């Protein structure tokens, strides 16, 4: 499974495009540098929690929703399961 920052990039890009925004507009709204937003979207950097919160707020999402979309995109494989039941699993 890809690291979360590599799964996050396309999610941020899709949410930005759904808003009809350029990278520059998202960066300005989130208080980030445009080139850094590009690096995030390409999965080249792992944003801090503060940056994740800024992006989510700018995109009118909660940080948990943004991360949740990453989980929906690439569910964990059974070999890396923590042993805890996943949502919808029977006990």
């Amino acid at each position: 499974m890809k690291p979360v920052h590599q799964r996050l990039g396309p999610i941020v890009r899709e949410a930005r495009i759904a808003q009809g925004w350029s990278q520059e507009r998202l960066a300005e709204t989130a208080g980030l540098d445009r080139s850094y937003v590009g690096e995030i979207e390409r999965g080249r950097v792992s944003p801090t929690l503060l940056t994740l919160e800024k992006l989510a707020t700018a995109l009118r999402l909660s940080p948990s929703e943004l991360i949740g979309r990453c989980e929906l995109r690439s569910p964990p494989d059974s070999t890396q399961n923590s042993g805890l039941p996943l949502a919808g699993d029977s006990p």
Side-chain angles (χ1 to χ4, degrees):
M1 177 167 52
K2 289 182 181 180
V4 70
H5 70 276
Q6 290 179 353
R7 296 189 315 264
L8 178 67
I11 301 297
V12 170
R13 180 181 297 117
E14 289 169 10
R16 173 181 60 78
I17 290 170
Q19 294 282 342
W21 290 357
S22 64
Q23 282 184 350
E24 188 172 329
R25 171 92 186 265
L26 174 56
E28 181 180 306
T29 304
L32 301 169
D33 186 83
R34 195 232 28 100
S35 63
Y36 186 54
V37 170
E39 292 290 302
I40 292 168
E41 287 189 357
R42 288 188 294 283
R44 293 188 179 167
V45 296
S46 181
T48 65
L49 289 174
L50 179 59
T51 298
L52 181 70
E53 182 178 47
K54 287 179 178 183
L55 287 169
T57 299
L59 293 166
R60 300 182 193 128
L61 301 169
S62 69
S64 62
E65 185 176 358
L66 200 54
I67 290 295
R69 290 182 182 190
C70 294
E71 293 171 353
L72 293 173
R73 174 65 52 92
S74 182
D77 64 45
S78 60
T79 62
Q80 294 185 358
N81 190 342
S82 67
L84 299 174
L86 299 175
D89 283 353
S90 299

Coordinates of all heavy atoms in Angstrom, one line a residue:
M1 N 0.8 -1.2 0.0 CA 0.0 0.0 0.0 C 0.9 1.2 0.0 O 1.9 1.3 0.7 CB -0.9 0.0 1.2 CG -1.8 1.2 1.4 SD -3.1 1.1 2.6 CE -2.3 0.6 4.0
K2 N 0.5 2.2 -0.7 CA 1.3 3.5 -0.8 C 1.2 4.2 0.6 O 0.2 4.1 1.2 CB 0.7 4.4 -1.8 CG 0.9 4.0 -3.3 CD 0.3 5.1 -4.2 CE 0.5 4.7 -5.6 NZ 0.0 5.7 -6.5
P3 N 2.2 5.0 0.9 CA 2.2 5.8 2.1 C 1.0 6.8 2.0 O 0.6 7.2 0.9 CB 3.5 6.5 2.2 CG 4.4 5.7 1.3 CD 3.5 5.1 0.2
V4 N 0.5 7.2 3.2 CA -0.7 8.1 3.2 C -0.4 9.4 2.4 O -1.3 9.9 1.8 CB -1.1 8.4 4.6 CG1 -0.2 9.2 5.4 CG2 -2.5 9.0 4.6
H5 N 0.8 10.0 2.5 CA 1.0 11.2 1.8 C 0.9 11.0 0.3 O 0.6 12.0 -0.5 CB 2.3 11.9 2.2 CG 3.6 11.2 1.7 ND1 4.1 10.1 2.4 CD2 4.4 11.4 0.7 CE1 5.2 9.7 1.8 NE2 5.4 10.5 0.7
Q6 N 1.2 9.8 -0.2 CA 1.1 9.6 -1.7 C -0.4 9.4 -2.1 O -0.7 9.7 -3.2 CB 2.0 8.4 -2.1 CG 3.4 8.7 -2.0 CD 4.3 7.5 -2.4 OE1 3.8 6.4 -2.6 NE2 5.6 7.8 -2.5
R7 N -1.2 8.9 -1.2 CA -2.6 8.7 -1.4 C -3.3 10.1 -1.2 O -4.3 10.3 -1.9 CB -3.2 7.7 -0.5 CG -2.6 6.3 -0.7 CD -3.4 5.2 0.0 NE -3.7 5.5 1.4 CZ -3.0 5.1 2.4 NH1 -1.9 4.4 2.3 NH2 -3.4 5.4 3.6
L8 N -2.8 10.9 -0.4 CA -3.4 12.2 -0.1 C -3.3 13.2 -1.3 O -4.3 13.9 -1.6 CB -2.7 12.9 1.1 CG -3.2 14.3 1.5 CD1 -4.7 14.2 2.0 CD2 -2.3 14.9 2.6
G9 N -2.2 13.1 -2.0 CA -2.0 14.1 -3.1 C -3.2 14.1 -4.1 O -3.7 15.2 -4.4
P10 N -3.5 12.9 -4.7 CA -4.6 13.0 -5.7 C -6.0 13.4 -5.0 O -6.8 14.0 -5.7 CB -4.7 11.5 -6.1 CG -3.3 11.0 -5.9 CD -2.8 11.7 -4.6
I11 N -6.1 13.1 -3.7 CA -7.4 13.5 -3.1 C -7.5 15.0 -3.0 O -8.5 15.6 -3.2 CB -7.4 12.9 -1.6 CG1 -7.4 11.3 -1.7 CG2 -8.6 13.4 -0.9 CD1 -8.5 10.7 -2.4
V12 N -6.3 15.6 -2.6 CA -6.3 17.1 -2.5 C -6.6 17.7 -3.9 O -7.3 18.6 -4.1 CB -5.0 17.6 -2.0 CG1 -4.8 19.1 -2.1 CG2 -4.8 17.2 -0.5
R13 N -5.9 17.1 -4.9 CA -6.1 17.6 -6.3 C -7.5 17.5 -6.7 O -8.1 18.5 -7.3 CB -5.2 16.8 -7.3 CG -5.4 17.3 -8.7 CD -4.5 16.5 -9.7 NE -3.1 16.7 -9.4 CZ -2.3 15.7 -9.1 NH1 -2.7 14.5 -9.0 NH2 -1.0 16.0 -8.8
E14 N -8.2 16.4 -6.5 CA -9.6 16.2 -6.9 C -10.5 17.1 -6.1 O -11.4 17.7 -6.7 CB -10.0 14.7 -6.6 CG -9.4 13.7 -7.5 CD -9.6 12.3 -7.1 OE1 -10.4 12.0 -6.1 OE2 -8.9 11.4 -7.6
A15 N -10.2 17.4 -4.9 CA -11.1 18.3 -4.1 C -10.9 19.7 -4.6 O -11.8 20.5 -4.7 CB -10.7 18.2 -2.6
R16 N -9.6 20.1 -4.9 CA -9.4 21.4 -5.5 C -10.1 21.6 -6.8 O -10.7 22.6 -7.0 CB -7.8 21.6 -5.7 CG -7.5 22.9 -6.4 CD -6.0 23.0 -6.6 NE -5.3 22.0 -7.3 CZ -5.3 21.9 -8.7 NH1 -6.0 22.8 -9.4 NH2 -4.7 20.9 -9.3
I17 N -10.0 20.6 -7.7 CA -10.6 20.7 -9.0 C -12.1 20.8 -8.8 O -12.8 21.5 -9.6 CB -10.2 19.6 -9.9 CG1 -8.7 19.8 -10.3 CG2 -11.0 19.4 -11.1 CD1 -8.0 18.6 -10.9
A18 N -12.7 20.0 -7.9 CA -14.1 20.1 -7.6 C -14.6 21.5 -7.2 O -15.7 21.8 -7.5 CB -14.5 19.0 -6.6
Q19 N -13.7 22.2 -6.6 CA -14.0 23.6 -6.2 C -13.8 24.5 -7.4 O -14.2 25.7 -7.4 CB -13.1 24.1 -5.1 CG -13.2 23.4 -3.8 CD -14.4 23.9 -3.0 OE1 -15.0 24.9 -3.2 NE2 -14.8 23.0 -2.1
G20 N -13.2 24.0 -8.5 CA -12.9 24.9 -9.6 C -11.8 25.8 -9.4 O -11.7 26.8 -10.0
W21 N -10.9 25.4 -8.5 CA -9.7 26.2 -8.1 C -8.4 25.8 -8.8 O -8.2 24.6 -9.0 CB -9.5 26.1 -6.6 CG -10.6 26.8 -5.8 CD1 -11.7 27.5 -6.2 CD2 -10.6 26.8 -4.4 NE1 -12.4 28.0 -5.2 CE2 -11.8 27.5 -4.0 CE3 -9.8 26.3 -3.4 CZ2 -12.1 27.8 -2.7 CZ3 -10.2 26.5 -2.1 CH2 -11.3 27.2 -1.7
S22 N -7.6 26.8 -9.0 CA -6.2 26.5 -9.4 C -5.4 26.2 -8.1 O -5.8 26.4 -7.0 CB -5.6 27.8 -10.1 OG -5.5 28.8 -9.1
Q23 N -4.2 25.7 -8.3 CA -3.3 25.4 -7.2 C -3.0 26.8 -6.5 O -3.0 26.8 -5.3 CB -2.0 24.8 -7.6 CG -2.0 23.4 -7.9 CD -0.7 22.8 -8.3 OE1 0.3 23.5 -8.5 NE2 -0.6 21.5 -8.4
E24 N -2.9 27.8 -7.3 CA -2.6 29.1 -6.7 C -3.7 29.6 -5.8 O -3.5 30.1 -4.7 CB -2.4 30.2 -7.8 CG -1.9 31.5 -7.3 CD -1.5 32.4 -8.4 OE1 -1.0 32.0 -9.5 OE2 -1.7 33.6 -8.2
R25 N -5.0 29.4 -6.2 CA -6.1 29.8 -5.4 C -6.2 28.9 -4.1 O -6.4 29.5 -3.0 CB -7.4 29.6 -6.2 CG -8.7 29.7 -5.4 CD -9.2 31.1 -5.4 NE -10.4 31.3 -4.5 CZ -11.7 31.2 -4.9 NH1 -11.9 31.0 -6.2 NH2 -12.6 31.4 -4.1
L26 N -6.0 27.6 -4.2 CA -5.9 26.8 -3.0 C -4.8 27.2 -2.0 O -5.1 27.4 -0.8 CB -5.8 25.3 -3.3 CG -5.6 24.4 -2.1 CD1 -6.8 24.5 -1.2 CD2 -5.4 22.9 -2.6
A27 N -3.7 27.5 -2.6 CA -2.5 27.9 -1.8 C -2.8 29.2 -1.0 O -2.6 29.3 0.2 CB -1.3 28.0 -2.6
E28 N -3.4 30.2 -1.8 CA -3.7 31.5 -1.2 C -4.8 31.3 -0.1 O -4.6 31.9 1.0 CB -4.2 32.4 -2.3 CG -4.6 33.8 -1.8 CD -5.1 34.6 -2.9 OE1 -4.4 34.8 -3.9 OE2 -6.2 35.2 -2.8
T29 N -5.8 30.5 -0.3 CA -6.9 30.3 0.6 C -6.4 29.6 1.9 O -6.8 29.9 3.0 CB -8.0 29.5 0.0 OG1 -8.5 30.2 -1.2 CG2 -9.2 29.4 0.9
A30 N -5.4 28.6 1.7 CA -4.9 27.9 2.8 C -3.7 28.5 3.5 O -3.3 28.1 4.5 CB -4.5 26.5 2.3
G31 N -3.2 29.6 2.9 CA -2.0 30.3 3.5 C -0.7 29.5 3.3 O 0.1 29.5 4.1
L32 N -0.7 28.8 2.1 CA 0.5 28.0 1.8 C 1.1 28.5 0.5 O 0.5 29.3 -0.3 CB 0.1 26.6 1.6 CG -0.6 25.9 2.8 CD1 -1.1 24.5 2.4 CD2 0.5 25.7 3.9
D33 N 2.4 28.1 0.2 CA 3.0 28.4 -1.1 C 2.5 27.5 -2.2 O 2.3 26.3 -2.0 CB 4.5 28.2 -0.9 CG 5.3 28.7 -2.1 OD1 5.6 29.9 -2.2 OD2 5.6 27.8 -2.9
R34 N 2.3 28.1 -3.3 CA 1.7 27.3 -4.5 C 2.6 26.1 -4.8 O 2.1 25.0 -5.1 CB 1.5 28.2 -5.7 CG 0.6 27.5 -6.7 CD 1.1 27.4 -8.1 NE 2.5 27.4 -8.4 CZ 3.2 26.2 -8.7 NH1 2.6 25.1 -8.6 NH2 4.5 26.3 -8.9
S35 N 3.9 26.3 -4.8 CA 4.8 25.2 -5.2 C 4.7 24.0 -4.1 O 4.8 22.9 -4.5 CB 6.2 25.6 -5.3 OG 6.7 26.1 -4.1
Y36 N 4.4 24.4 -2.9 CA 4.3 23.4 -1.8 C 3.0 22.6 -2.1 O 3.0 21.4 -1.9 CB 4.3 24.0 -0.5 CG 4.3 23.0 0.7 CD1 5.2 22.0 0.8 CD2 3.3 23.1 1.7 CE1 5.2 21.1 1.8 CE2 3.3 22.2 2.8 CZ 4.3 21.2 2.8 OH 4.2 20.3 3.8
V37 N 1.9 23.3 -2.4 CA 0.7 22.6 -2.8 C 0.9 21.6 -3.9 O 0.4 20.5 -3.9 CB -0.5 23.6 -3.1 CG1 -1.7 22.9 -3.6 CG2 -0.8 24.4 -1.8
G38 N 1.7 22.0 -4.9 CA 2.0 21.1 -6.0 C 2.8 19.9 -5.5 O 2.5 18.8 -6.0
E39 N 3.7 20.1 -4.6 CA 4.5 19.0 -4.1 C 3.5 18.0 -3.3 O 3.7 16.8 -3.4 CB 5.6 19.5 -3.2 CG 6.7 20.2 -3.9 CD 7.5 19.3 -4.8 OE1 8.1 18.4 -4.3 OE2 7.6 19.6 -6.0
I40 N 2.6 18.6 -2.6 CA 1.6 17.7 -1.8 C 0.8 16.9 -2.8 O 0.6 15.7 -2.7 CB 0.7 18.6 -0.9 CG1 1.6 19.2 0.2 CG2 -0.4 17.8 -0.4 CD1 0.8 20.3 1.0
E41 N 0.3 17.6 -3.9 CA -0.6 16.9 -4.8 C 0.2 15.8 -5.6 O -0.5 14.9 -6.0 CB -1.2 18.0 -5.8 CG -2.2 18.8 -5.2 CD -2.9 19.7 -6.3 OE1 -2.6 19.7 -7.5 OE2 -3.9 20.4 -5.9
R42 N 1.5 16.0 -5.8 CA 2.2 14.9 -6.4 C 2.7 13.9 -5.5 O 3.4 12.9 -5.9 CB 3.4 15.6 -7.1 CG 3.0 16.3 -8.4 CD 4.2 16.8 -9.2 NE 5.0 17.8 -8.6 CZ 4.7 19.1 -8.4 NH1 3.6 19.6 -8.9 NH2 5.6 19.9 -7.8
G43 N 2.4 14.0 -4.2 CA 2.8 13.0 -3.2 C 4.3 13.0 -2.9 O 4.8 12.0 -2.4
R44 N 4.9 14.1 -3.1 CA 6.4 14.2 -2.9 C 6.8 14.6 -1.5 O 7.9 14.4 -1.1 CB 7.0 15.1 -3.9 CG 6.9 14.6 -5.3 CD 7.8 15.4 -6.2 NE 7.7 14.9 -7.6 CZ 8.1 15.5 -8.7 NH1 8.6 16.7 -8.5 NH2 8.0 15.0 -9.8
V45 N 5.8 15.2 -0.8 CA 6.1 15.6 0.6 C 5.0 15.1 1.5 O 3.9 14.8 1.1 CB 6.2 17.2 0.7 CG1 7.4 17.7 -0.1 CG2 4.9 17.8 0.3
S46 N 5.3 15.0 2.8 CA 4.3 14.6 3.8 C 3.9 15.8 4.6 O 4.7 16.2 5.4 CB 4.9 13.5 4.7 OG 4.0 13.0 5.6
P47 N 2.7 16.3 4.4 CA 2.4 17.5 5.1 C 2.2 17.3 6.6 O 1.8 16.2 7.0 CB 1.0 17.9 4.4 CG 0.5 16.7 3.8 CD 1.7 15.8 3.5
T48 N 2.5 18.3 7.3 CA 2.2 18.3 8.8 C 0.7 18.3 9.1 O -0.1 18.6 8.2 CB 2.9 19.5 9.5 OG1 2.2 20.7 9.1 CG2 4.4 19.6 9.2
L49 N 0.4 18.0 10.3 CA -1.0 18.1 10.7 C -1.6 19.5 10.5 O -2.7 19.7 10.1 CB -1.2 17.6 12.1 CG -1.0 16.1 12.3 CD1 -1.1 15.7 13.8 CD2 -2.1 15.3 11.6
L50 N -0.8 20.5 10.8 CA -1.2 21.9 10.7 C -1.5 22.2 9.2 O -2.5 22.8 8.9 CB -0.2 22.8 11.2 CG -0.5 24.3 11.1 CD1 -1.8 24.7 11.8 CD2 0.7 25.1 11.6
T51 N -0.6 21.7 8.3 CA -0.9 21.9 6.9 C -2.1 21.1 6.4 O -2.9 21.7 5.6 CB 0.4 21.5 6.1 OG1 1.5 22.3 6.5 CG2 0.2 21.6 4.6
L52 N -2.3 19.9 6.9 CA -3.4 19.1 6.5 C -4.7 19.9 7.0 O -5.7 20.0 6.2 CB -3.4 17.8 7.2 CG -4.5 16.8 6.9 CD1 -4.5 16.4 5.5 CD2 -4.5 15.7 7.9
E53 N -4.7 20.5 8.2 CA -5.8 21.2 8.7 C -6.1 22.5 7.8 O -7.2 22.8 7.4 CB -5.6 21.7 10.1 CG -6.8 22.4 10.7 CD -6.6 22.8 12.1 OE1 -5.5 23.3 12.5 OE2 -7.5 22.6 12.9
K54 N -5.0 23.2 7.4 CA -5.2 24.3 6.5 C -5.8 24.0 5.2 O -6.7 24.6 4.7 CB -3.8 25.0 6.3 CG -3.3 25.7 7.5 CD -1.9 26.3 7.1 CE -1.3 27.1 8.3 NZ 0.0 27.7 7.9
L55 N -5.3 22.9 4.6 CA -5.9 22.4 3.3 C -7.3 22.0 3.4 O -8.2 22.4 2.6 CB -5.1 21.2 2.8 CG -3.7 21.5 2.2 CD1 -2.9 20.2 2.0 CD2 -3.7 22.3 1.0
A56 N -7.6 21.2 4.5 CA -9.0 20.8 4.7 C -9.9 22.0 4.9 O -11.0 22.0 4.3 CB -9.1 19.8 5.9
T57 N -9.5 22.9 5.7 CA -10.4 24.1 6.0 C -10.6 24.9 4.7 O -11.7 25.3 4.4 CB -9.7 25.0 7.0 OG1 -9.6 24.2 8.2 CG2 -10.5 26.2 7.3
A58 N -9.5 25.1 3.9 CA -9.7 25.8 2.6 C -10.6 25.1 1.7 O -11.4 25.7 0.9 CB -8.3 26.0 2.0
L59 N -10.6 23.7 1.7 CA -11.4 22.9 0.8 C -12.8 22.7 1.4 O -13.6 21.9 0.8 CB -10.7 21.6 0.5 CG -9.4 21.7 -0.3 CD1 -8.6 20.4 -0.3 CD2 -9.7 22.2 -1.8
R60 N -13.1 23.3 2.5 CA -14.4 23.1 3.2 C -14.6 21.7 3.6 O -15.7 21.2 3.5 CB -15.5 23.7 2.4 CG -15.3 25.1 2.0 CD -16.5 25.7 1.2 NE -16.1 27.0 0.7 CZ -16.2 27.3 -0.6 NH1 -16.7 26.5 -1.4 NH2 -15.8 28.5 -1.0
L61 N -13.6 21.0 4.1 CA -13.7 19.7 4.6 C -13.1 19.7 6.0 O -12.4 20.6 6.4 CB -12.8 18.7 3.7 CG -13.2 18.6 2.3 CD1 -12.1 17.9 1.5 CD2 -14.5 17.9 2.1
S62 N -13.4 18.6 6.8 CA -12.7 18.4 8.0 C -11.4 17.6 7.7 O -11.3 16.9 6.7 CB -13.5 17.7 9.0 OG -13.7 16.3 8.6
P63 N -10.4 17.8 8.6 CA -9.2 17.0 8.4 C -9.5 15.5 8.4 O -8.9 14.7 7.5 CB -8.3 17.4 9.6 CG -8.7 18.8 9.9 CD -10.2 18.8 9.7
S64 N -10.4 15.0 9.2 CA -10.7 13.6 9.2 C -11.4 13.2 7.9 O -11.2 12.0 7.5 CB -11.6 13.3 10.4 OG -12.8 14.0 10.4
E65 N -12.2 14.1 7.3 CA -12.8 13.7 6.0 C -11.7 13.6 4.9 O -11.8 12.7 4.1 CB -13.8 14.7 5.6 CG -14.6 14.3 4.4 CD -15.7 15.3 4.0 OE1 -16.0 16.3 4.7 OE2 -16.3 15.0 3.0
L66 N -10.8 14.5 4.9 CA -9.7 14.4 4.0 C -8.9 13.1 4.1 O -8.7 12.4 3.1 CB -8.8 15.7 4.1 CG -7.9 16.1 3.0 CD1 -8.7 16.3 1.7 CD2 -7.1 17.3 3.3
I67 N -8.5 12.8 5.3 CA -7.8 11.5 5.6 C -8.7 10.3 5.3 O -8.3 9.3 4.7 CB -7.3 11.5 7.0 CG1 -6.2 12.5 7.2 CG2 -6.8 10.1 7.4 CD1 -4.9 12.2 6.4
G68 N -10.0 10.4 5.6 CA -10.9 9.4 5.3 C -11.0 9.0 3.9 O -11.1 7.9 3.5
R69 N -10.9 10.1 3.0 CA -11.0 9.8 1.6 C -9.7 9.0 1.1 O -9.8 8.3 0.2 CB -11.0 11.1 0.8 CG -12.4 11.8 1.0 CD -12.5 13.1 0.2 NE -13.7 13.8 0.4 CZ -14.1 14.8 -0.3 NH1 -13.4 15.3 -1.3 NH2 -15.3 15.4 -0.1
C70 N -8.6 9.2 1.8 CA -7.4 8.4 1.5 C -7.7 6.9 1.9 O -7.2 6.1 1.1 CB -6.2 8.9 2.3 SG -5.7 10.5 1.9
E71 N -8.3 6.7 3.0 CA -8.6 5.3 3.4 C -9.6 4.7 2.4 O -9.4 3.5 2.1 CB -9.2 5.3 4.8 CG -8.2 5.7 5.8 CD -8.8 5.9 7.2 OE1 -10.0 5.9 7.3 OE2 -8.0 6.2 8.1
L72 N -10.6 5.4 1.9 CA -11.5 4.9 0.9 C -10.8 4.5 -0.4 O -11.2 3.6 -1.1 CB -12.7 5.8 0.7 CG -13.6 6.0 1.9 CD1 -14.6 7.1 1.6 CD2 -14.3 4.7 2.3
R73 N -9.8 5.4 -0.7 CA -9.1 5.2 -2.0 C -8.3 3.9 -2.0 O -8.2 3.2 -3.0 CB -8.2 6.4 -2.2 CG -7.3 6.4 -3.4 CD -8.0 6.4 -4.7 NE -8.9 7.4 -4.9 CZ -8.7 8.6 -5.4 NH1 -7.5 8.9 -5.8 NH2 -9.6 9.5 -5.5
S74 N -7.7 3.6 -0.9 CA -6.8 2.4 -0.9 C -6.9 1.7 0.4 O -6.2 2.0 1.4 CB -5.3 2.9 -1.1 OG -4.5 1.8 -1.1
P75 N -7.9 0.8 0.5 CA -8.1 0.1 1.8 C -6.9 -0.7 2.2 O -6.2 -1.2 1.3 CB -9.3 -0.8 1.6 CG -9.5 -0.9 0.1 CD -8.8 0.3 -0.5
P76 N -6.6 -0.9 3.4 CA -5.5 -1.7 3.8 C -5.7 -3.1 3.4 O -6.8 -3.6 3.4 CB -5.5 -1.6 5.4 CG -6.8 -1.1 5.7 CD -7.4 -0.4 4.6
D77 N -4.5 -3.8 3.1 CA -4.7 -5.2 2.7 C -4.7 -6.0 4.0 O -4.3 -5.6 5.0 CB -3.5 -5.6 1.7 CG -2.1 -5.5 2.3 OD1 -2.0 -6.0 3.5 OD2 -1.3 -5.0 1.6
S78 N -5.1 -7.2 3.8 CA -5.3 -8.1 5.0 C -4.0 -8.4 5.7 O -4.1 -8.8 6.9 CB -6.1 -9.4 4.6 OG -5.3 -10.1 3.7
T79 N -2.9 -8.4 5.1 CA -1.6 -8.7 5.7 C -1.2 -7.6 6.7 O -0.3 -7.9 7.5 CB -0.5 -9.0 4.7 OG1 -0.3 -7.8 4.0 CG2 -0.9 -10.1 3.8
Q80 N -1.7 -6.4 6.6 CA -1.3 -5.3 7.4 C -2.4 -4.9 8.4 O -2.4 -3.9 9.0 CB -0.9 -4.1 6.6 CG 0.4 -4.4 5.8 CD 0.9 -3.2 5.1 OE1 0.3 -2.1 5.2 NE2 2.0 -3.3 4.4
N81 N -3.4 -5.7 8.5 CA -4.5 -5.4 9.4 C -4.0 -5.4 10.9 O -3.3 -6.3 11.3 CB -5.7 -6.5 9.2 CG -6.9 -6.1 9.9 OD1 -6.9 -5.2 10.8 ND2 -8.0 -6.7 9.5
S82 N -4.5 -4.5 11.6 CA -4.1 -4.3 13.0 C -4.7 -5.3 13.9 O -4.4 -5.4 15.1 CB -4.4 -2.9 13.5 OG -5.8 -2.7 13.6
G83 N -5.7 -6.1 13.3 CA -6.4 -7.0 14.2 C -7.7 -6.4 14.7 O -8.6 -7.1 15.2
L84 N -7.9 -5.1 14.5 CA -9.1 -4.4 14.9 C -10.1 -4.5 13.8 O -9.8 -4.5 12.6 CB -8.8 -2.9 15.2 CG -7.8 -2.7 16.3 CD1 -7.6 -1.2 16.4 CD2 -8.4 -3.2 17.6
P85 N -11.4 -4.7 14.1 CA -12.4 -4.8 13.1 C -12.5 -3.5 12.3 O -12.4 -2.4 12.9 CB -13.7 -5.1 13.8 CG -13.4 -4.8 15.2 CD -11.9 -4.8 15.4
L86 N -12.7 -3.6 11.0 CA -13.0 -2.4 10.2 C -14.4 -2.1 10.2 O -15.3 -3.0 10.5 CB -12.5 -2.7 8.8 CG -11.0 -3.0 8.6 CD1 -10.7 -3.4 7.2 CD2 -10.2 -1.8 9.0
A87 N -14.8 -0.9 9.8 CA -16.2 -0.5 9.8 C -16.9 -1.4 8.9 O -16.5 -1.7 7.8 CB -16.3 1.0 9.3
G88 N -18.0 -2.0 9.3 CA -18.8 -2.9 8.5 C -18.5 -4.3 8.7 O -19.1 -5.2 8.2
D89 N -17.4 -4.6 9.4 CA -17.0 -6.0 9.6 C -17.8 -6.6 10.7 O -18.2 -5.9 11.7 CB -15.5 -6.1 10.1 CG -14.5 -6.0 9.0 OD1 -15.0 -5.9 7.8 OD2 -13.3 -5.9 9.2
S90 N -18.1 -7.8 10.6 CA -18.9 -8.5 11.7 C -17.9 -8.9 12.8 O -16.8 -9.2 12.6 CB -19.5 -9.8 11.1 OG -20.4 -9.5 10.1
P91 N -18.4 -8.8 14.1 CA -17.5 -9.1 15.2 C -17.2 -10.6 15.2 O -17.8 -11.4 14.7 CB -18.3 -8.7 16.4 CG -19.7 -8.4 16.0 CD -19.7 -8.3 14.5

